CSV table of all heavy atoms in Angstrom, one decimal:
chain,number,residue,atom,x,y,z
A,1,SER,N,0.8,-1.2,0.0
A,1,SER,CA,0.0,0.0,-0.1
A,1,SER,C,0.8,1.2,0.0
A,1,SER,O,2.0,1.3,0.5
A,1,SER,CB,-0.9,0.0,1.3
A,1,SER,OG,-1.8,-1.1,1.3
A,2,VAL,N,0.3,2.4,-0.5
A,2,VAL,CA,0.9,3.6,-0.5
A,2,VAL,C,-0.2,4.7,-0.5
A,2,VAL,O,-1.3,4.4,-1.1
A,2,VAL,CB,1.9,3.8,-1.6
A,2,VAL,CG1,1.2,3.8,-3.0
A,2,VAL,CG2,2.8,5.1,-1.4
A,3,GLN,N,0.1,5.8,0.0
A,3,GLN,CA,-0.8,6.9,0.0
A,3,GLN,C,-0.2,8.1,-0.7
A,3,GLN,O,0.9,8.5,-0.3
A,3,GLN,CB,-1.3,7.4,1.4
A,3,GLN,CG,-2.4,8.4,1.3
A,3,GLN,CD,-2.9,8.9,2.7
A,3,GLN,OE1,-2.2,9.4,3.4
A,3,GLN,NE2,-4.2,8.7,2.9
A,4,LEU,N,-0.9,8.6,-1.7
A,4,LEU,CA,-0.4,9.8,-2.4
A,4,LEU,C,-1.1,11.1,-1.9
A,4,LEU,O,-2.3,10.9,-1.5
A,4,LEU,CB,-0.6,9.7,-3.9
A,4,LEU,CG,0.0,8.4,-4.6
A,4,LEU,CD1,-0.3,8.5,-6.1
A,4,LEU,CD2,1.4,8.3,-4.3
A,5,SER,N,-0.5,12.2,-1.9
A,5,SER,CA,-1.1,13.4,-1.6
A,5,SER,C,-0.9,14.4,-2.6
A,5,SER,O,0.1,14.4,-3.4
A,5,SER,CB,-0.5,14.0,-0.2
A,5,SER,OG,-0.7,13.0,0.8
A,6,CYS,N,-1.8,15.4,-2.8
A,6,CYS,CA,-1.7,16.5,-3.7
A,6,CYS,C,-2.3,17.7,-3.1
A,6,CYS,O,-3.5,17.7,-2.7
A,6,CYS,CB,-2.5,16.1,-5.1
A,6,CYS,SG,-2.5,17.5,-6.2
A,7,ALA,N,-1.4,18.7,-2.9
A,7,ALA,CA,-1.8,20.0,-2.4
A,7,ALA,C,-2.1,21.0,-3.5
A,7,ALA,O,-1.2,21.2,-4.3
A,7,ALA,CB,-0.8,20.5,-1.4
A,8,ALA,N,-3.3,21.6,-3.5
A,8,ALA,CA,-3.6,22.6,-4.5
A,8,ALA,C,-3.5,24.0,-3.9
A,8,ALA,O,-3.7,24.2,-2.7
A,8,ALA,CB,-5.1,22.3,-5.0
A,9,SER,N,-3.2,25.0,-4.8
A,9,SER,CA,-3.0,26.3,-4.4
A,9,SER,C,-4.3,27.0,-4.1
A,9,SER,O,-4.3,28.1,-3.4
A,9,SER,CB,-2.3,27.1,-5.4
A,9,SER,OG,-3.0,27.2,-6.6
A,10,THR,N,-5.5,26.4,-4.5
A,10,THR,CA,-6.7,27.1,-4.2
A,10,THR,C,-7.8,26.0,-4.3
A,10,THR,O,-7.6,24.9,-4.7
A,10,THR,CB,-7.0,28.2,-5.2
A,10,THR,OG1,-8.2,28.9,-4.9
A,10,THR,CG2,-7.3,27.6,-6.6
A,11,SER,N,-9.0,26.4,-3.9
A,11,SER,CA,-10.1,25.5,-3.9
A,11,SER,C,-10.5,25.2,-5.4
A,11,SER,O,-10.5,26.1,-6.2
A,11,SER,CB,-11.3,26.0,-3.1
A,11,SER,OG,-12.4,25.1,-3.2
A,12,THR,N,-10.9,24.0,-5.7
A,12,THR,CA,-11.4,23.7,-7.0
A,12,THR,C,-12.4,22.5,-6.9
A,12,THR,O,-12.4,21.7,-5.9
A,12,THR,CB,-10.3,23.2,-7.9
A,12,THR,OG1,-10.7,23.0,-9.2
A,12,THR,CG2,-9.6,21.9,-7.4
A,13,TYR,N,-13.4,22.5,-7.8
A,13,TYR,CA,-14.5,21.6,-7.6
A,13,TYR,C,-14.2,20.1,-7.8
A,13,TYR,O,-14.6,19.3,-7.0
A,13,TYR,CB,-15.6,21.9,-8.6
A,13,TYR,CG,-16.9,21.3,-8.3
A,13,TYR,CD1,-17.7,21.7,-7.3
A,13,TYR,CD2,-17.3,20.2,-9.1
A,13,TYR,CE1,-18.9,21.0,-6.9
A,13,TYR,CE2,-18.5,19.5,-8.7
A,13,TYR,CZ,-19.4,20.0,-7.7
A,13,TYR,OH,-20.5,19.3,-7.3
A,14,CYS,N,-13.3,19.9,-8.7
A,14,CYS,CA,-13.0,18.4,-9.0
A,14,CYS,C,-11.5,18.4,-8.8
A,14,CYS,O,-10.7,19.1,-9.4
A,14,CYS,CB,-13.4,18.0,-10.4
A,14,CYS,SG,-12.7,16.4,-10.9
A,15,LEU,N,-11.1,17.3,-8.1
A,15,LEU,CA,-9.7,16.9,-8.1
A,15,LEU,C,-9.6,15.4,-8.4
A,15,LEU,O,-10.3,14.6,-7.9
A,15,LEU,CB,-9.1,17.1,-6.7
A,15,LEU,CG,-9.0,18.6,-6.1
A,15,LEU,CD1,-8.7,18.6,-4.6
A,15,LEU,CD2,-7.9,19.2,-6.9
A,16,GLU,N,-8.7,15.1,-9.3
A,16,GLU,CA,-8.5,13.8,-9.9
A,16,GLU,C,-7.1,13.3,-9.8
A,16,GLU,O,-6.2,14.1,-9.8
A,16,GLU,CB,-9.1,13.7,-11.3
A,16,GLU,CG,-10.6,13.8,-11.3
A,16,GLU,CD,-11.2,13.3,-12.6
A,16,GLU,OE1,-10.5,12.7,-13.5
A,16,GLU,OE2,-12.4,13.5,-12.8
A,17,TRP,N,-6.9,12.0,-9.8
A,17,TRP,CA,-5.7,11.3,-10.0
A,17,TRP,C,-5.6,10.6,-11.4
A,17,TRP,O,-6.6,10.0,-11.7
A,17,TRP,CB,-5.4,10.3,-8.9
A,17,TRP,CG,-5.0,11.0,-7.5
A,17,TRP,CD1,-5.9,11.2,-6.6
A,17,TRP,CD2,-3.8,11.5,-7.2
A,17,TRP,NE1,-5.2,11.7,-5.5
A,17,TRP,CE2,-4.0,11.9,-5.9
A,17,TRP,CE3,-2.6,11.6,-7.7
A,17,TRP,CZ2,-2.8,12.5,-5.1
A,17,TRP,CZ3,-1.5,12.1,-7.1
A,17,TRP,CH2,-1.7,12.6,-5.8
A,18,PHE,N,-4.6,10.9,-12.1
A,18,PHE,CA,-4.3,10.2,-13.4
A,18,PHE,C,-3.0,9.4,-13.2
A,18,PHE,O,-2.2,9.8,-12.3
A,18,PHE,CB,-4.3,11.2,-14.5
A,18,PHE,CG,-5.6,11.9,-14.8
A,18,PHE,CD1,-6.0,13.0,-14.0
A,18,PHE,CD2,-6.3,11.6,-15.9
A,18,PHE,CE1,-7.2,13.6,-14.3
A,18,PHE,CE2,-7.5,12.2,-16.1
A,18,PHE,CZ,-7.9,13.2,-15.3
A,19,ARG,N,-2.7,8.6,-14.2
A,19,ARG,CA,-1.5,7.9,-14.2
A,19,ARG,C,-1.0,7.7,-15.6
A,19,ARG,O,-1.9,7.6,-16.5
A,19,ARG,CB,-1.5,6.6,-13.4
A,19,ARG,CG,-2.4,5.5,-14.0
A,19,ARG,CD,-2.5,4.3,-13.1
A,19,ARG,NE,-3.3,3.3,-13.6
A,19,ARG,CZ,-3.6,2.2,-12.9
A,19,ARG,NH1,-3.2,2.0,-11.6
A,19,ARG,NH2,-4.4,1.2,-13.5
A,20,GLN,N,0.2,7.6,-15.8
A,20,GLN,CA,0.7,7.4,-17.2
A,20,GLN,C,1.9,6.4,-17.1
A,20,GLN,O,2.9,6.7,-16.4
A,20,GLN,CB,1.1,8.6,-17.9
A,20,GLN,CG,1.5,8.5,-19.3
A,20,GLN,CD,1.5,9.8,-20.0
A,20,GLN,OE1,1.8,10.9,-19.5
A,20,GLN,NE2,1.4,9.8,-21.4
A,21,ALA,N,1.8,5.3,-17.8
A,21,ALA,CA,2.9,4.3,-17.8
A,21,ALA,C,3.5,4.5,-19.2
A,21,ALA,O,3.0,5.1,-20.1
A,21,ALA,CB,2.2,2.9,-17.8
A,22,PRO,N,4.8,4.0,-19.3
A,22,PRO,CA,5.6,4.2,-20.5
A,22,PRO,C,4.8,3.7,-21.7
A,22,PRO,O,4.3,2.5,-21.7
A,22,PRO,CB,6.9,3.4,-20.3
A,22,PRO,CG,7.1,3.5,-18.8
A,22,PRO,CD,5.7,3.5,-18.3
A,23,GLY,N,4.7,4.5,-22.8
A,23,GLY,CA,4.1,4.0,-24.0
A,23,GLY,C,2.6,4.0,-24.0
A,23,GLY,O,2.0,3.6,-24.9
A,24,LYS,N,2.0,4.5,-22.9
A,24,LYS,CA,0.5,4.6,-22.8
A,24,LYS,C,0.0,5.9,-22.6
A,24,LYS,O,0.8,6.8,-22.1
A,24,LYS,CB,0.1,3.6,-21.7
A,24,LYS,CG,0.4,2.1,-21.8
A,24,LYS,CD,-0.2,1.3,-20.7
A,24,LYS,CE,0.1,-0.1,-21.0
A,24,LYS,NZ,-0.5,-1.0,-19.8
A,25,GLU,N,-1.3,6.1,-22.9
A,25,GLU,CA,-1.9,7.4,-22.7
A,25,GLU,C,-2.1,7.6,-21.2
A,25,GLU,O,-2.3,6.7,-20.4
A,25,GLU,CB,-3.2,7.5,-23.4
A,25,GLU,CG,-3.0,7.5,-25.0
A,25,GLU,CD,-4.4,7.7,-25.7
A,25,GLU,OE1,-5.4,7.6,-25.0
A,25,GLU,OE2,-4.3,8.0,-26.8
A,26,ARG,N,-2.2,8.9,-20.8
A,26,ARG,CA,-2.6,9.2,-19.4
A,26,ARG,C,-4.0,8.8,-19.2
A,26,ARG,O,-4.9,9.2,-20.0
A,26,ARG,CB,-2.4,10.7,-19.2
A,26,ARG,CG,-2.5,11.2,-17.7
A,26,ARG,CD,-2.1,12.6,-17.5
A,26,ARG,NE,-0.6,12.8,-17.8
A,26,ARG,CZ,0.0,13.9,-17.6
A,26,ARG,NH1,-0.6,14.9,-17.0
A,26,ARG,NH2,1.3,14.0,-18.0
A,27,GLU,N,-4.3,8.1,-18.1
A,27,GLU,CA,-5.6,7.7,-17.8
A,27,GLU,C,-6.1,8.1,-16.5
A,27,GLU,O,-5.3,8.2,-15.6
A,27,GLU,CB,-5.7,6.1,-17.9
A,27,GLU,CG,-4.8,5.4,-16.9
A,27,GLU,CD,-5.0,4.0,-16.9
A,27,GLU,OE1,-6.0,3.4,-17.5
A,27,GLU,OE2,-4.1,3.3,-16.3
A,28,GLY,N,-7.4,8.4,-16.4
A,28,GLY,CA,-8.0,8.8,-15.2
A,28,GLY,C,-8.1,7.6,-14.2
A,28,GLY,O,-8.6,6.5,-14.6
A,29,VAL,N,-7.7,7.8,-13.0
A,29,VAL,CA,-7.7,6.7,-12.0
A,29,VAL,C,-8.8,6.9,-11.0
A,29,VAL,O,-9.6,6.0,-10.7
A,29,VAL,CB,-6.4,6.6,-11.2
A,29,VAL,CG1,-6.5,5.6,-10.1
A,29,VAL,CG2,-5.3,6.3,-12.2
A,30,ALA,N,-9.0,8.1,-10.4
A,30,ALA,CA,-10.0,8.4,-9.5
A,30,ALA,C,-10.3,9.9,-9.4
A,30,ALA,O,-9.3,10.6,-9.6
A,30,ALA,CB,-9.6,7.9,-8.0
A,31,GLY,N,-11.5,10.3,-9.1
A,31,GLY,CA,-11.9,11.7,-9.0
A,31,GLY,C,-12.7,11.9,-7.8
A,31,GLY,O,-13.5,11.0,-7.3
A,32,ILE,N,-12.7,13.1,-7.2
A,32,ILE,CA,-13.6,13.4,-6.2
A,32,ILE,C,-14.0,14.9,-6.3
A,32,ILE,O,-13.2,15.7,-6.6
A,32,ILE,CB,-12.9,13.2,-4.8
A,32,ILE,CG1,-13.9,13.4,-3.6
A,32,ILE,CG2,-11.6,13.9,-4.6
A,32,ILE,CD1,-13.5,12.9,-2.3
A,33,GLU,N,-15.3,15.1,-6.1
A,33,GLU,CA,-15.9,16.5,-6.1
A,33,GLU,C,-15.9,17.1,-4.8
A,33,GLU,O,-15.7,16.5,-3.8
A,33,GLU,CB,-17.2,16.4,-6.9
A,33,GLU,CG,-17.1,16.0,-8.3
A,33,GLU,CD,-18.4,15.7,-9.1
A,33,GLU,OE1,-19.4,15.7,-8.4
A,33,GLU,OE2,-18.3,15.5,-10.3
A,34,TYR,N,-16.2,18.4,-4.8
A,34,TYR,CA,-16.1,19.2,-3.6
A,34,TYR,C,-17.0,18.6,-2.4
A,34,TYR,O,-16.6,18.6,-1.3
A,34,TYR,CB,-16.6,20.7,-3.9
A,34,TYR,CG,-16.3,21.6,-2.7
A,34,TYR,CD1,-15.0,22.2,-2.7
A,34,TYR,CD2,-17.2,21.9,-1.8
A,34,TYR,CE1,-14.8,23.1,-1.6
A,34,TYR,CE2,-17.0,22.8,-0.7
A,34,TYR,CZ,-15.7,23.4,-0.7
A,34,TYR,OH,-15.4,24.2,0.4
A,35,PHE,N,-18.2,18.0,-2.8
A,35,PHE,CA,-19.1,17.6,-1.8
A,35,PHE,C,-18.9,16.1,-1.6
A,35,PHE,O,-19.8,15.5,-0.8
A,35,PHE,CB,-20.5,17.9,-2.1
A,35,PHE,CG,-20.7,19.5,-2.0
A,35,PHE,CD1,-20.9,20.1,-3.2
A,35,PHE,CD2,-20.8,20.1,-0.8
A,35,PHE,CE1,-21.1,21.5,-3.2
A,35,PHE,CE2,-20.9,21.5,-0.8
A,35,PHE,CZ,-21.1,22.2,-2.0
A,36,GLY,N,-17.9,15.5,-2.1
A,36,GLY,CA,-17.6,14.1,-1.8
A,36,GLY,C,-17.9,13.0,-2.8
A,36,GLY,O,-17.6,11.9,-2.6
A,37,LYS,N,-18.6,13.3,-3.9
A,37,LYS,CA,-18.9,12.3,-4.9
A,37,LYS,C,-17.6,11.8,-5.5
A,37,LYS,O,-16.7,12.6,-5.9
A,37,LYS,CB,-19.8,12.8,-6.0
A,37,LYS,CG,-20.3,11.8,-7.0
A,37,LYS,CD,-21.3,12.4,-8.0
A,37,LYS,CE,-21.7,11.3,-9.0
A,37,LYS,NZ,-22.7,11.8,-9.9
A,38,THR,N,-17.5,10.5,-5.6
A,38,THR,CA,-16.2,9.9,-6.1
A,38,THR,C,-16.5,9.1,-7.4
A,38,THR,O,-17.6,8.6,-7.7
A,38,THR,CB,-15.6,9.0,-5.1
A,38,THR,OG1,-16.6,8.0,-4.7
A,38,THR,CG2,-15.2,9.7,-3.8
A,39,TYR,N,-15.4,9.0,-8.2
A,39,TYR,CA,-15.4,8.2,-9.4
A,39,TYR,C,-14.1,7.4,-9.4
A,39,TYR,O,-13.0,7.8,-9.0
A,39,TYR,CB,-15.3,9.2,-10.6
A,39,TYR,CG,-16.4,10.3,-10.7
A,39,TYR,CD1,-16.4,11.3,-9.8
A,39,TYR,CD2,-17.5,10.1,-11.5
A,39,TYR,CE1,-17.4,12.3,-9.8
A,39,TYR,CE2,-18.5,11.1,-11.6
A,39,TYR,CZ,-18.4,12.2,-10.7
A,39,TYR,OH,-19.4,13.1,-10.8
A,40,TYR,N,-14.2,6.2,-9.9
A,40,TYR,CA,-13.0,5.3,-10.0
A,40,TYR,C,-13.0,4.6,-11.4
A,40,TYR,O,-14.0,4.2,-11.9
A,40,TYR,CB,-13.1,4.2,-8.9
A,40,TYR,CG,-13.0,4.7,-7.5
A,40,TYR,CD1,-14.1,5.0,-6.8
A,40,TYR,CD2,-11.7,5.0,-7.0
A,40,TYR,CE1,-14.0,5.4,-5.5
A,40,TYR,CE2,-11.6,5.4,-5.7
A,40,TYR,CZ,-12.7,5.7,-4.9
A,40,TYR,OH,-12.6,6.2,-3.7
A,41,ALA,N,-11.8,4.4,-11.8
A,41,ALA,CA,-11.6,3.5,-13.0
A,41,ALA,C,-11.9,2.1,-12.5
A,41,ALA,O,-11.7,1.7,-11.4
A,41,ALA,CB,-10.2,3.6,-13.5
A,42,ASP,N,-12.5,1.3,-13.4
A,42,ASP,CA,-12.8,-0.1,-13.1
A,42,ASP,C,-11.6,-0.9,-12.5
A,42,ASP,O,-11.7,-1.7,-11.7
A,42,ASP,CB,-13.4,-0.8,-14.3
A,42,ASP,CG,-14.8,-0.4,-14.6
A,42,ASP,OD1,-15.4,0.2,-13.7
A,42,ASP,OD2,-15.3,-0.6,-15.7
A,43,SER,N,-10.4,-0.6,-13.1
A,43,SER,CA,-9.2,-1.3,-12.7
A,43,SER,C,-8.8,-1.1,-11.2
A,43,SER,O,-8.0,-1.9,-10.8
A,43,SER,CB,-8.1,-1.0,-13.7
A,43,SER,OG,-7.8,0.4,-13.6
């Protein structure tokens, strides 16, 4: 396990995590909106 953190300079409605492996496109991993709604890639 590992926990990633991301600090933003200001408030924003949506914050998401993406990832990019060599030779592949950047893909969305997970997102969260201001009031807590979450989104996840199936993987």
Side-chain angles (χ1 to χ4, degrees):
S1 299
V2 66
Q3 185 182 64
L4 306 181
S5 300
C6 173
S9 62
T10 189
S11 177
T12 187
Y13 192 76
C14 172
L15 292 167
E16 291 195 4
W17 287 98
F18 294 78
R19 65 187 182 189
Q20 188 166 26
K24 297 185 177 180
E25 294 184 346
R26 190 170 297 189
E27 63 175 345
V29 175
I32 185 166
E33 295 172 353
Y34 192 86
F35 297 106
K37 185 176 182 180
T38 57
Y39 305 76
Y40 294 97
D42 288 342
S43 60

